[in-house]
């Protein structure tokens, strides 16, 4: 087993190839790729089995976790034991959080309604979400924030305690294990 290569990485799958240079004159009982989150995966970890003749074999391993580091290596088992190829690593990508359009309504001297639906949460558990606002373009969670419950599915969030006659910028945000995602910016004046 040699030349193990990552061909393509997706959100929940990887395409990988390896070369079976020789069967060594013995019967191969089991072969494939073993993979996991530790640097030296074994056949006791997750595995994707295949049988191949001498040559290059390519396969896609499905059902992986998003945005996760993996290690993978080819293996072949004979009556004499299991041999492993070299280990390669990869990190799966992720589905982003997607927002609908952001709007502001019912603006008063000290309050404003921010309406911004979350179209998809990207398949990752939400750690924190809400609206961030401030005086500068594209506020972040380092500015003022109004948190909602992590399972909050309503698009409407009310910001209170604003200063009269002041221009603000606001964005909806969702934080998950991948990163903090932001909606477009909107400005409004109280």
């Amino acid at each position: 087993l040699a030349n193990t290569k990552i061909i393509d990485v997706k959100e929940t799958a990887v395409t990988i190839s390896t070369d079976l240079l020789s069967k060594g004159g013995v019967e191969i009982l089991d072969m494939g790729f073993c993979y996991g989150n530790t640097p030296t995966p074994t056949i006791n970890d997750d595995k994707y089995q295949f049988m191949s003749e001498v040559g290059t074999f390519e396969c896609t391993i499905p059902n992986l976790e998003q945005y996760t580091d993996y290690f993978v290596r080819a293996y072949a088992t004979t009556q004499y034991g299991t041999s492993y190829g070299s280990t390669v690593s990869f990190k799966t990508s992720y589905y982003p959080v997607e927002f609908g359009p952001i709007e502001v309504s019912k603006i008063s001297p000290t309050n404003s309604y921010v309406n911004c639906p979350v179209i998809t949460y990207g398949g990752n558990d939400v750690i924190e979400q809400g609206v961030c606002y401030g005086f500068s373009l594209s506020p972040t969670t380092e500015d003022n924030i109004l948190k909602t419950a992590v399972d909050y599915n309503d698009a409407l969030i009310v910001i209170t305690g604003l200063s009269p006659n002041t221009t603000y910028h606001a964005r909806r945000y969702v934080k998950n294990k991948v990163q903090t995602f932001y909606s477009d910016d909107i400005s409004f004046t109280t």
Side-chain angles (χ1 to χ4, degrees), residues 1 19-29 31 50-55 76-80 83:
L1 299 168
D19 295 333
L20 178 60
L21 302 177
S22 167
K23 290 189 175 185
V26 295
E27 180 185 4
I28 294 177
L29 304 173
M31 67 185 297
F50 65 87
M51 293 302 285
S52 177
E53 295 301 317
V54 174
T77 301
T78 68
Q79 64 185 359
Y80 301 108
S83 298

Side-chain angles (χ1 to χ4, degrees), residues 104-113 158-166 168 188-190:
V104 175
S105 63
K106 298 185 182 179
I107 301 168
S108 74
T110 59
N111 300 327
S112 178
Y113 287 64
V158 181
I159 303 173
T160 60
L162 300 173
S163 298
N165 301 314
T166 305
Y168 290 92
F188 61 94
T189 302
T190 55

Side-chain angles (χ1 to χ4, degrees), residues 7-182:
I7 306 297
D8 188 35
V9 179
K10 300 287 186 197
E11 293 85 359
T12 59
V14 63
T15 302
I16 189 167
S17 73
T18 195
D19 295 333
L20 178 60
L21 302 177
S22 167
K23 290 189 175 185
V26 295
E27 180 185 4
I28 294 177
L29 304 173
D30 183 26
M31 67 185 297
F33 293 105
C34 53
Y35 59 96
N37 305 112
T38 58
T40 52
T42 70
I43 58 172
N44 296 321
D45 294 310
D46 290 320
K47 62 183 181 178
Y48 186 91
Q49 295 172 289
F50 65 87
M51 293 302 285
S52 177
E53 295 301 317
V54 174
T56 300
F57 179 79
E58 181 178 306
C59 71
T60 299
I61 300 172
N63 303 320
L64 302 176
E65 293 291 320
Q66 290 187 62
Y67 201 66
T68 302
D69 291 309
Y70 284 96
F71 299 88
V72 63
R73 62 183 176 166
Y75 73 90
T77 301
T78 68
Q79 64 185 359
Y80 301 108
T82 301
S83 298
Y84 295 96
S86 59
T87 301
V88 295
S89 64
F90 64 94
K91 185 172 200 158
T92 51
S93 56
Y94 57 87
Y95 296 107
V97 173
E98 294 180 35
F99 299 93
I102 186 167
E103 300 171 344
V104 175
S105 63
K106 298 185 182 179
I107 301 168
S108 74
T110 59
N111 300 327
S112 178
Y113 287 64
V114 176
N115 187 1
C116 183
V118 177
I119 305 301
T120 176
Y121 285 94
N124 287 298
D125 291 336
V126 174
I127 297 169
E128 180 181 308
Q129 68 171 321
V131 67
C132 49
Y133 60 98
F135 306 114
S136 301
L137 182 67
S138 300
T140 70
T141 54
E142 299 299 314
D143 296 303
N144 300 304
I145 61 170
L146 179 61
K147 293 181 188 178
T148 63
V150 293
D151 59 352
Y152 185 76
N153 290 320
D154 198 346
L156 188 65
I157 301 171
V158 181
I159 303 173
T160 60
L162 300 173
S163 298
N165 301 314
T166 305
T167 298
Y168 290 92
H169 290 267
R171 296 196 294 176
R172 179 83 186 262
Y173 77 92
V174 173
K175 180 179 182 181
N176 60 28
K177 76 174 186 175
V178 176
Q179 68 183 48
T180 302
F181 295 88
Y182 295 96

